[in-house]
Amino acid sequence: MIEKTVLVVIVSIVCVECSLPLNIPNYFPSALRRAGGGGDTVIAFSAGLTNGTELHVTTNMTYDRVFVNSGNGYNNSTGVFTAPLGGTYVFMYHALSQANQQLWLDIYHNSDYIATGYAHAKNDYASSSNSVVLTIARGDAVYIRARGDNFVYGQPDEVFATFSGFNLFAAHP
């Protein structure tokens, strides 16, 4: 009797699985669909620094090589990302200090300090990175600001400093 029960269960599982569709449409709830409520709007940017930068005053970092700028939110002249769409965003930044030097890079939302990336190593290069998830409104600014003495490594053919972000999901109307 036990053998027949096991056989029936196995046959039932196979029959249930073969009746499920392979592609499940609308799997994600509408709030988690692509930015813009499921439309074609994609907000994402990624930029890198292609030159060595030495800064001694508080200033925005400007990343000159733009890899992606979907939604045109990143301005490589100012280093500022201006949100074309409100919602929750992921931002990441990375940098390499020049040998035996330091760097202090802060991420700001509008004029509010959020987090710091710091790097220093005696007689060597040092790397720094940080990332944040922020809920921001349309038109808000997010940028990286250098403070203190900063020596960021970069070369035209070697990108070690980057600033990237993307919209995780759009704000509810």
Side-chain angles (χ1 to χ4, degrees), residues 116-130:
T116 297
Y118 173 77
H120 178 264
K122 189 173 181 176
N123 300 320
D124 205 353
Y125 298 89
S127 63
S128 170
S129 65
N130 216 328

Side-chain angles (χ1 to χ4, degrees), residues 1-87:
M1 184 74 169
I2 292 176
E3 290 176 15
K4 289 180 182 178
T5 303
V6 172
L7 181 60
V8 169
V9 170
I10 291 173
V11 170
S12 295
I13 291 172
V14 171
C15 290
V16 168
E17 285 183 344
C18 68
S19 68
L20 286 177
L22 295 176
N23 183 10
I24 304 171
N26 300 320
Y27 175 75
F28 292 104
S30 59
L32 299 179
R33 289 191 186 143
R34 181 176 286 172
D40 291 330
T41 305
V42 174
I43 310 298
F45 76 95
S46 184
L49 184 66
T50 62
N51 55 59
T53 302
E54 182 177 330
L55 301 166
H56 300 285
V57 295
T58 299
T59 187
N60 288 359
M61 289 291 298
T62 55
Y63 301 84
D64 57 323
R65 182 176 293 165
V66 177
F67 302 110
V68 173
N69 197 10
S70 298
N72 296 314
Y74 179 72
N75 182 329
N76 67 332
S77 296
T78 62
V80 175
F81 170 77
T82 303
L85 180 68

Side-chain angles (χ1 to χ4, degrees), residues 43 71 73-74 80-87 89 91 136-142 167:
I43 310 298
Y74 179 72
V80 175
F81 170 77
T82 303
L85 180 68
Y89 286 77
F91 295 98
I136 62 178
R138 180 180 180 166
D140 280 3
V142 177
N167 183 256

